[in-house]
Amino acid sequence: MTFEQEWAELRAAAADRTAMQINSIPAEGGGGGAGGKDLVVNRDDLGAIGNDAYDLLGRLQKEGDIARASTFDAATALTNGNFVSGSAVLKVHDFWQTHLGTLLDACAQISNHLDYSKAQHAKDEAKIQGDLTRISVLSEYMK
């Protein structure tokens, strides 16, 4: 399987897991006024995406660096042999290392952010439930 095929499959799977509607209500009804929810965040979805990003980070760290040493050695050998292509191979090496680092950072940030979001949503939900519980107790006394 090529990288492009695998990437397309992962994107399609992520889109299926995280489909979101913006500026509309679901076809089956809903909305804020009728007891439906305007925004729903499923912590399992966040966890799955964060886990995928973490897995991708691990694979990139391991597999993205496989050719680094041999590419650098080839650039050095070509340069020492007075081949002009030695500097071009070194540029490819440096370009790859720079972009690999950027991609690794992005995957780590996605994974960390989604883990944080999952935990924060759980804390927010607990706080809201606690606040609403206090209000409902007060409402009972006012009847």
Side-chain angles (χ1 to χ4, degrees):
M1 175 179 293
T2 67
F3 172 79
E4 288 81 14
Q5 290 170 328
E6 185 175 1
W7 180 246
E9 286 180 12
L10 289 172
R11 285 182 33 206
D16 290 343
R17 284 194 312 260
T18 61
M20 177 174 36
Q21 288 185 305
I22 299 176
N23 294 333
S24 66
I25 60 173
E28 66 273 0
K37 299 176 183 177
D38 287 333
L39 175 64
V40 176
V41 176
N42 188 331
R43 286 187 294 270
D44 293 338
D45 289 343
L46 292 176
I49 295 168
N51 188 51
D52 288 347
Y54 182 77
D55 291 344
L56 180 58
L57 174 66
R59 285 182 56 201
L60 278 173
Q61 285 174 327
K62 186 171 111 180
E63 297 172 15
D65 198 39
I66 290 173
R68 181 187 47 80
S70 58
T71 304
F72 186 77
D73 291 344
T76 302
L78 287 168
T79 302
N80 291 341
N82 293 323
F83 288 96
V84 178
S85 60
S87 63
V89 172
L90 186 58
K91 284 181 184 178
V92 170
H93 169 270
D94 294 345
F95 183 82
W96 175 254
Q97 289 306 115
T98 299
H99 289 286
L100 178 61
T102 301
L103 187 56
L104 288 170
D105 288 345
C107 288
Q109 288 179 6
I110 290 168
S111 177
N112 291 340
H113 177 71
L114 290 172
D115 288 343
Y116 170 82
S117 295
K118 182 179 174 183
Q120 190 62 44
H121 282 296
K123 288 178 188 176
D124 291 346
E125 185 69 21
K127 183 182 181 326
I128 291 169
Q129 286 177 347
D131 291 347
L132 291 176
T133 301
R134 289 191 300 247
I135 293 170
S136 66
V137 169
L138 287 174
S139 297
E140 289 297 319
Y141 287 118
M142 293 183 178
K143 286 185 179 181

